[in-house]
Amino acid sequence: MIFGAIEAGGTKFVVAVGDEKGQIIERASFKTREPQETMAEVVTFLKKYQADLKGIGVGSFGPIDIRKNSATYGYITHTPKVAWRNYNFVGHLKKEFDVPIAFTTDVNASAFGEVQLGAARDLNSCLYMTIGTGIGCGAIVSGEILTGLSHPEMGHILVRRNGQDRFAGICPSHSDCLEGLASGKAIQKRWGKEGKDLADNDAVWRLEAYYIAQALMNYILILSPERLIIGGGVTKQQPLLSFIRSELKALINGYIELPNLEKYVVLPKLGDDAAITGCLLLANLVKD
Amino acid sequence: MIFGAIEAGGTKFVVAVGDEKGQIIERASFKTREPQETMAEVVTFLKKYQADLKGIGVGSFGPIDIRKNSATYGYITHTPKVAWRNYNFVGHLKKEFDVPIAFTTDVNASAFGEVQLGAARDLNSCLYMTIGTGIGCGAIVSGEILTGLSHPEMGHILVRRNGQDRFAGICPSHSDCLEGLASGKAIQKRWGKEGKDLADNDAVWRLEAYYIAQALMNYILILSPERLIIGGGVTKQQPLLSFIRSELKALINGYIELPNLEKYVVLPKLGDDAAITGCLLLANLVKD
């Protein structure tokens, strides 16, 4: 059985076909341009396998409409990327492929990939956080993607400002929410350089850890995930994860019993393939 | 069919029997004293129905151990109430009654009661928050009680301090977490009077709303519940709920589309019976 997977990111699209075990058979990636251009490339790739394709899983940048009974189900909604605003993602795919389509956020797909085959494989719950240009999270609860009114938007939670930090924040809606203070874009604007060029500046990563650990504390107290998986470009900075663990330990202050933080707050096991793998697995589960 | 229900609170226990629809047949309440005294009263009450009893649901103050595979499953764990610390709640009941026993937190039981028969009856998810002596929350996700590593401890999330508020906070673990700044106990200590004696002091309730709305914003962004239900003694103060809604609207700032806040952030429909009703319904669902 062959399944299709589309990881729709703000800068690039990854498309793949694979089997029901989440093994990738072939993949390609395309720069994110206008929908008609990028989707044409995606469709051409998947058409090669059309005869065998049993389903497609999509993990998209957001916000997206995942409410099955909504008139705009399957759309990307009010994204700052103007060309993709109100784009009927699932509708376009349905015109090309007569197969069931799963539609969720890129971070939900990553969380699902990691709980099925990655760093949370033996568990029923996890949180997947990505710290890149923006900050996003997906969550698995009782083995399933956490869904309610809509998908979570955990990157925008409120954190306490470090008293020394005078940076205003870059979130257009909340200024100094988590994404406003701690996303890759915020790091670049605060320090005048990209994170990768600040690798040896501990002050950058201590401040970053101060904000990320607050977020993790709130995620833990609210969701009680069995594992926290932190991905994204910013996380590749060497000392960050250990700074985050130290801050988190101090914040929780023994109030709840947590597993060893070295094993509890971890990097993705599937690396950059978490989302595309999750999409493949979701394609196998979706019914319509 | 007859089911038993025990709402174990820090100041009183409510015990009831009822039917599979959550209708209460008889109830009693007892002051929370030492375990052997209070549990003897509970057991005597339920024994009257022993011949017909098909299950018991317990919603307890916490923290409690709800991990089925744990050696201390069914225990109240490290509560400040010394006499109840490490008390084997389920074990004691199992000795007296040979029926399946459901064991969860009081706030989870309330959330379950409200999603089954109360303010979130038509929905698959909700958050139930109680603001009383302490602050606690339970959550329903996809129709089931949210459970992960353990039960949530949402009352202890971090909030931003109001710049004018010099009160240190009363949480022994985190000083000025949400419970530290906004619980009934915090209100009493900050203002020198109980909340009920501060009813006409708007400054009290505006500050309270400032903290509670931050918490609700984070709960919404993380859990995406379809409804938020706010119970507990403090919520009985008249202007509080409308102050909370205004603060919440300002904080979210249009970033996500929410239902009308008058219908989205509401009081419990089951009032003070939310937890005991939830316990009855859980008693009907539990298998062992």
Side-chain angles (χ1 to χ4, degrees):
Chain A
M1 292 209 285
I2 299 281
F3 297 93
I6 305 168
E7 179 190 354
T11 55
K12 70 171 181 181
F13 271 52
V14 179
V15 57
V17 291
D19 66 16
E20 71 282 3
K21 290 178 182 153
Q23 291 301 306
I24 294 167
I25 294 166
E26 192 192 342
R27 73 160 79 203
S29 88
F30 309 109
K31 194 168 173 298
T32 305
R33 296 182 289 161
E34 306 262 301
Q36 56 274 34
E37 296 166 340
T38 306
M39 290 301 283
E41 293 176 306
V42 166
V43 167
T44 301
F45 177 92
L46 290 176
K47 284 276 178 184
K48 294 189 287 175
Y49 295 88
Q50 184 156 27
D52 301 311
L53 213 57
K54 296 283 177 276
I56 299 172
V58 178
S60 176
F61 68 88
I64 62 175
D65 189 346
I66 57 164
R67 298 166 302 170
K68 284 277 173 120
N69 57 356
S70 161
T72 53
Y73 169 76
Y75 282 57
I76 295 177
T77 58
H78 53 281
T79 169
K81 301 182 85 65
V82 178
W84 291 87
R85 202 173 287 168
N86 302 316
Y87 176 66
N88 184 354
F89 204 131
V90 171
H92 183 83
L93 288 174
K94 282 272 184 198
K95 271 191 224 157
E96 301 286 348
F97 302 96
D98 184 24
V99 297
I101 295 173
F103 188 60
T104 191
T105 61
D106 45 5
V107 279
N108 274 340
S110 295
F112 196 72
E114 289 290 335
V115 86
Q116 289 281 321
L117 295 177
R121 185 173 192 156
D122 45 337
L123 304 173
N124 288 314
S125 61
C126 74
L127 181 111
Y128 180 94
M129 180 184 213
T130 180
I131 317 172
T133 312
I135 296 180
C137 300
I140 304 298
V141 173
S142 301
E144 298 195 0
I145 290 173
L146 170 64
T147 304
L149 190 64
S150 179
H151 57 81
E153 282 285 354
M154 304 191 204
H156 290 264
I157 66 164
L158 301 173
V159 287
R160 292 173 176 177
R161 179 180 279 281
N162 179 305
Q164 314 303 309
D165 183 14
R166 301 286 169 231
F167 180 60
I170 54 100
C171 174
S173 300
H174 317 115
S175 299
D176 59 357
C177 67
L178 178 69
E179 180 164 297
L181 291 174
S183 59
K185 204 170 157 188
I187 292 173
Q188 186 173 5
K189 190 146 185 207
R190 182 192 285 107
W191 301 94
K193 288 184 206 173
E194 280 188 67
K196 65 182 167 54
D197 300 321
L198 292 159
D200 52 1
N201 186 342
D202 265 14
V204 173
W205 308 112
R206 291 218 180 265
L207 184 64
E208 182 70 6
Y210 176 82
Y211 293 124
I212 299 298
Q214 289 182 52
L216 297 190
M217 169 152 167
N218 287 352
Y219 301 153
I220 291 167
L221 293 171
I222 293 169
L223 281 172
S224 195
E226 289 165 291
R227 198 152 290 158
L228 300 161
I229 301 158
I230 322 282
V234 171
T235 321
K236 288 172 180 152
Q237 296 311 315
Q238 200 37 250
L240 182 58
L241 208 59
S242 70
F243 290 174
I244 290 171
R245 292 189 190 111
S246 309
E247 284 282 351
L248 179 60
K249 191 173 176 198
L251 285 173
I252 297 271
N253 196 21
Y255 180 72
I256 51 172
E257 200 185 315
L258 291 179
N260 178 332
L261 293 187
E262 302 274 330
K263 292 179 182 170
Y264 187 53
V265 180
V266 300
L267 296 173
K269 198 163 174 187
L270 303 176
D272 295 335
D273 284 349
I276 199 77
T277 304
C279 290
L280 273 180
L281 296 167
L282 288 167
N284 184 15
L285 291 174
V286 67
K287 301 283 174 242
D288 58 1
Chain B
M1 290 207 286
I2 299 281
F3 298 94
I6 304 168
E7 179 190 354
T11 55
K12 70 171 178 179
F13 270 52
V14 179
V15 56
V17 291
D19 65 16
E20 72 281 3
K21 290 178 182 153
Q23 291 301 307
I24 294 166
I25 294 166
E26 191 191 342
R27 72 159 81 203
S29 88
F30 307 110
K31 194 167 172 301
T32 305
R33 296 182 289 160
E34 306 262 303
Q36 56 274 35
E37 296 167 340
T38 305
M39 290 301 284
E41 292 177 304
V42 166
V43 167
T44 302
F45 177 92
L46 290 175
K47 285 274 178 183
K48 292 190 288 175
Y49 295 89
Q50 184 157 26
D52 301 311
L53 213 58
K54 296 283 179 276
I56 299 173
V58 178
S60 176
F61 69 89
I64 62 175
D65 189 346
I66 57 166
R67 298 166 302 170
K68 285 276 173 123
N69 57 356
S70 163
T72 52
Y73 168 77
Y75 282 57
I76 295 178
T77 59
H78 52 282
T79 169
K81 302 182 85 67
V82 178
W84 290 87
R85 202 173 285 169
N86 302 316
Y87 177 67
N88 185 354
F89 204 132
V90 170
H92 184 82
L93 287 175
K94 281 272 183 198
K95 270 192 228 160
E96 301 285 349
F97 302 96
D98 184 24
V99 297
I101 296 173
F103 188 60
T104 192
T105 62
D106 45 4
V107 278
N108 274 340
S110 295
F112 196 71
E114 288 290 333
V115 85
Q116 288 283 320
L117 296 177
R121 184 171 192 158
D122 46 336
L123 304 173
N124 288 314
S125 61
C126 74
L127 180 112
Y128 179 93
M129 180 185 212
T130 180
I131 316 171
T133 312
I135 296 180
C137 300
I140 305 296
V141 172
S142 300
E144 298 194 3
I145 290 174
L146 170 64
T147 304
L149 190 64
S150 178
H151 56 80
E153 283 284 356
M154 304 192 205
H156 290 263
I157 68 165
L158 301 173
V159 287
R160 292 173 176 177
R161 181 179 278 282
N162 178 306
Q164 314 302 311
D165 184 15
R166 300 285 169 230
F167 179 61
I170 54 98
C171 173
S173 299
H174 317 113
S175 300
D176 59 357
C177 66
L178 179 69
E179 180 164 297
L181 291 174
S183 59
K185 204 170 156 189
I187 291 173
Q188 186 173 3
K189 190 144 186 209
R190 182 192 284 106
W191 301 94
K193 288 185 207 174
E194 279 188 67
K196 64 181 169 54
D197 300 321
L198 293 159
D200 53 1
N201 186 342
D202 265 14
V204 173
W205 308 113
R206 291 218 179 266
L207 184 65
E208 182 70 5
Y210 176 82
Y211 292 125
I212 299 298
Q214 289 183 52
L216 297 190
M217 170 151 167
N218 286 352
Y219 300 153
I220 292 167
L221 292 172
I222 293 169
L223 281 172
S224 196
E226 289 164 292
R227 197 152 290 157
L228 300 161
I229 302 159
I230 321 283
V234 171
T235 322
K236 287 172 180 154
Q237 297 311 314
Q238 200 38 250
L240 182 58
L241 209 59
S242 69
F243 289 173
I244 290 171
R245 293 189 190 111
S246 309
E247 284 280 353
L248 179 61
K249 191 172 177 197
L251 285 173
I252 297 271
N253 196 22
Y255 179 72
I256 50 171
E257 201 185 312
L258 291 179
N260 178 331
L261 293 187
E262 302 275 330
K263 292 180 180 168
Y264 187 53
V265 180
V266 300
L267 296 173
K269 198 164 175 184
L270 304 177
D272 295 333
D273 284 349
I276 199 76
T277 303
C279 289
L280 273 179
L281 295 168
L282 287 167
N284 183 16
L285 290 175
V286 66
K287 301 283 175 242
D288 57 4

